[in-house]
Amino acid sequence: MGVGSGGKARRRQEKTYRKNGLSRSRRTVFTHSHMGACSCYFAVASLVVFAAAVLATFFFGSRVSNLTGGLGGVAVLLAFGGMRSAMDGFRERDKNYMNCKVGIAANIVILLFLIVVFIIGCL
């Protein structure tokens, strides 16, 4: 491995490792990434917190504006935490990364939605 070819060589090594692991004689079943599952949990928690903020605003009006802002901030932090745990999940070896992919996509969509709601609220 020469200088500057670390990424290509590593990808090639991972590809041959996975190919050899899935040989016909013994099938390797990859389990799901644990941090990817945590990322999905973070996404669900962020949605629940945001729904609680919307319901509190709907039922109590402007009397709970501080609570609504705080819950919105917590939802944003949960979405960032979910993205972080999905990125950590990609580092796990010999795992199925589908949970990571779903978790990072869901957290990005939630974060974009929260940013749009914040911008609309500022107008």
Side-chain angles (χ1 to χ4, degrees):
M1 287 188 251
V3 176
S5 66
K8 291 180 183 178
R10 183 174 179 163
R11 279 187 295 235
R12 191 174 339 124
Q13 182 183 10
E14 287 286 329
K15 187 176 179 181
T16 57
Y17 179 76
R18 282 190 174 251
K19 188 174 82 174
N20 291 338
L22 295 174
S23 65
R24 188 173 271 253
S25 62
R26 56 171 188 188
R27 301 244 177 217
T28 304
V29 177
F30 293 115
T31 59
H32 287 284
S33 171
H34 296 292
M35 294 304 286
C38 289
S39 174
C40 294
Y41 296 146
F42 273 115
V44 170
S46 178
L47 282 177
V48 167
V49 169
F50 181 69
V54 169
L55 286 175
T57 302
F58 181 73
F59 286 121
F60 299 111
S62 63
R63 293 179 294 184
V64 292
S65 61
N66 292 337
L67 176 70
T68 304
L71 287 177
V74 169
V76 168
L77 290 176
L78 285 171
F80 273 123
M83 288 188 340
R84 169 72 184 205
S85 65
M87 295 303 266
D88 289 342
F90 282 118
R91 292 190 197 139
E92 295 179 19
R93 289 191 47 106
D94 300 334
K95 299 288 182 177
N96 185 359
Y97 301 118
M98 184 55 69
N99 285 344
C100 296
K101 294 174 187 176
V102 169
I104 200 164
N107 282 306
I108 287 173
V109 168
I110 291 167
L111 191 61
L112 288 175
F113 181 72
L114 289 171
I115 289 170
V116 167
V117 167
F118 177 74
I119 289 173
I120 289 173
C122 289
L123 296 179

